[in-house]
Amino acid sequence: MASVTLRNICKSYDETQVTRNVNLDIDDGEFVVFVGPSGCGKSTLLRMIAGLEDITSGDLYIGNDKVNNLPPKEREVGMVFQSYALYPHMNVAENMAFGLKLAKTDKAEIDRRVNDAAKLLQLNNLLERKPKDLSGGQRQRVAIGRTIVREPTVFLFDEPLSNLDASLRVQMRIEISRLHKRLDATMVYVTHDQLEASTFADKIAVMYGGQIVQFGTPTELFEQPNHTFVGYFIGSPGMNLIEVQRCPRGVCFGSTVVPLSVQHVELLQRLQSNNLKIGIRPEFIQASDMPADDTFEAEVLDVEDLGTYKVMTVKLDFETLKVRLTEDQHFAVGGQVQLSFPEKWLKLYVDEFLVEEKDQ
């Protein structure tokens, strides 16, 4: 396997800039997921690693080798696409072996690799079937097997599960995660689904506007989002973000004053910008029936029961917030609820970026 290093990678089509100064270090054997909305540049970045798109500027390394000008077949990477791209007239074994036959690999070696991959992907009993006789999940496993037999140093996945139904996606997530552990391979995976990203990533690169706005573990992105977009995009529901103003004891919106510690108040006074937001995840807002000194009364607009948990929508002053409830918490739509915001989970954003005491 091999590491992947990106240094100031830019991609432009005429006057349109798709990626801007992307820097990233993917360690040998690491599973990294590129996640972000449509058009953010994640698939283009993956295709540049594969050699399917030219790099406008910057340097790309696989292992210690600079590969900017190497054609795809010389990069020792394997790519699994969104479409299965299987040959309908070939059976499973022939589809998996096709690339090796083009490379004039010895037949005994082809058979060994195909059988090993089939065993790994539980395709042993399907080798003689044609693609039309397979389910969507089986076809995707064949596409992955076709990549495995090439024994690449880096595996690249471009939204491989987007054509599958919900239950098959869950199954394939488990299988891809298991495959990574079995192969101990370097894998780079593109998806717009943040839940999918969090399922099996060692680290996630959140992309927005052609740039990586944060790179870290799923836990780091959830608990310490360094940009408002990361807070909103990661999590279900995403982070509540509220525009606020400075107040003597903290921050306020409308008539609601959220008191902060002396350290946070002093930090606010030193900041120059007035573009201030606080963020708090729905999981960390505490809801109760009983008012207290640190609670705020809000109106319950909606409660969505999702089985193991509920999502409550409330109106506090002029802000609409999401609150995640446990299964045994009950609040009536149209009624009142008392909310509290533990300061340890409050995030302060200035010009959309997270600000902490250590930053000042």
Side-chain angles (χ1 to χ4, degrees):
M1 298 302 118
S3 60
V4 179
T5 305
L6 288 72
R7 289 289 176 263
N8 300 312
I9 297 293
C10 297
K11 176 65 179 179
S12 299
Y13 297 103
D14 297 325
E15 300 300 316
T16 303
Q17 194 162 21
V18 181
T19 65
R20 298 179 291 160
N21 297 319
V22 174
N23 290 280
L24 189 64
D25 293 293
I26 300 172
D27 292 336
D28 185 8
E30 201 165 38
F31 198 135
V32 169
V33 178
F34 296 161
V35 68
S38 298
C40 69
K42 57 187 183 296
S43 288
T44 301
L45 196 59
L46 192 78
R47 291 174 65 86
M48 284 191 282
I49 296 173
L52 302 176
E53 294 279 357
D54 293 333
I55 298 171
T56 303
S57 63
D59 295 316
L60 172 64
Y61 297 87
I62 296 177
N64 296 321
D65 300 324
K66 183 177 175 180
V67 299
N68 289 43
N69 299 317
L70 284 183
K73 65 180 181 180
E74 295 181 21
R75 296 194 181 195
E76 297 185 4
V77 301
M79 190 158 179
V80 179
F81 295 92
Q82 181 176 350
S83 60
Y84 314 128
L86 302 178
Y87 294 105
H89 63 287
M90 295 182 183
N91 63 28
V92 168
E94 291 167 338
N95 266 285
M96 291 171 64
F98 185 70
L100 297 179
K101 288 183 178 179
L102 288 182
K104 301 187 185 306
T105 306
D106 178 75
K107 184 180 184 307
E109 179 65 11
I110 292 176
D111 291 342
R112 181 192 68 79
R113 294 192 193 184
V114 168
N115 288 326
D116 286 350
K119 183 178 179 180
L120 183 65
L121 296 168
Q122 300 175 26
L123 294 170
N124 312 58
N125 299 325
L126 304 175
L127 291 175
E128 299 302 319
R129 291 192 188 181
K130 299 287 181 63
K132 65 181 178 63
D133 299 318
L134 303 176
S135 68
Q138 289 168 340
R139 292 177 192 175
Q140 191 57 273
R141 290 209 301 272
V142 175
I144 294 171
R146 183 177 52 196
T147 301
I148 289 175
V149 298
R150 294 182 50 214
E151 298 182 349
T153 59
V154 179
F155 287 80
L156 307 176
F157 296 85
D158 190 5
E159 303 203 49
L161 309 186
S162 59
N163 290 334
L164 304 180
D165 62 35
S167 60
L168 275 177
R169 282 202 301 273
V170 172
Q171 179 185 340
M172 286 304 299
R173 285 174 196 157
I174 295 171
E175 293 193 14
I176 291 174
S177 181
R178 180 177 62 87
L179 181 67
H180 176 244
K181 291 180 174 64
R182 291 281 297 275
L183 296 178
D184 194 26
T186 305
M187 293 185 174
V188 186
Y189 190 105
V190 162
T191 182
H192 62 276
D193 185 337
Q194 57 92 13
L195 176 60
E196 192 172 290
S198 300
T199 300
F200 40 50
D202 294 321
K203 291 181 182 175
I204 299 173
V206 181
M207 295 194 66
Y208 180 63
Q211 295 181 302
I212 294 176
V213 289
Q214 189 167 358
F215 182 57
T217 67
T219 299
E220 289 169 345
L221 299 183
F222 184 80
E223 295 187 354
Q224 201 72 0
N226 66 4
H227 190 278
T228 54
F229 175 78
V230 179
Y232 179 78
F233 194 80
I234 299 295
S236 181
M239 175 178 275
N240 295 292
L241 295 162
I242 309 169
E243 292 187 12
V244 295
Q245 295 80 42
R246 295 175 178 82
C247 291
R249 294 187 298 115
V251 293
C252 58
F253 54 97
S255 60
T256 301
V257 178
V258 181
L260 299 175
S261 65
V262 173
Q263 291 80 6
H264 270 123
V265 171
E266 291 176 349
L267 171 59
L268 277 169
Q269 301 309 316
R270 295 199 296 269
L271 298 172
Q272 300 299 314
S273 175
N274 290 318
N275 181 12
L276 305 177
K277 291 181 182 178
I278 58 169
I280 186 168
R281 291 208 173 275
E283 291 83 352
F284 300 144
I285 297 177
Q286 297 175 357
S288 70
D289 294 312
M290 301 297 294
D293 292 341
D294 63 343
T295 63
F296 305 94
E297 188 171 87
E299 178 188 358
V300 180
L301 300 180
D302 183 58
V303 178
E304 185 180 6
D305 192 337
L306 299 175
T308 56
Y309 66 94
K310 302 173 185 176
V311 176
M312 178 171 62
T313 304
V314 302
K315 185 176 183 181
L316 174 60
D317 220 320
F318 54 81
E319 291 288 341
T320 300
L321 306 177
K322 298 288 187 181
V323 182
R324 185 159 167 167
L325 305 174
T326 59
E327 189 179 6
D328 59 350
Q329 288 182 292
H330 303 284
F331 296 95
V333 174
Q336 304 298 309
V337 61
Q338 302 294 323
L339 306 178
S340 62
F341 307 133
E343 187 172 1
K344 66 176 288 190
W345 296 117
L346 280 176
K347 304 300 177 186
L348 175 63
Y349 295 91
V350 178
D351 298 328
E352 310 304 330
F353 288 93
L354 178 68
V355 174
E356 299 179 275
E357 182 68 25
K358 65 177 181 293
D359 296 328
Q360 299 302 305

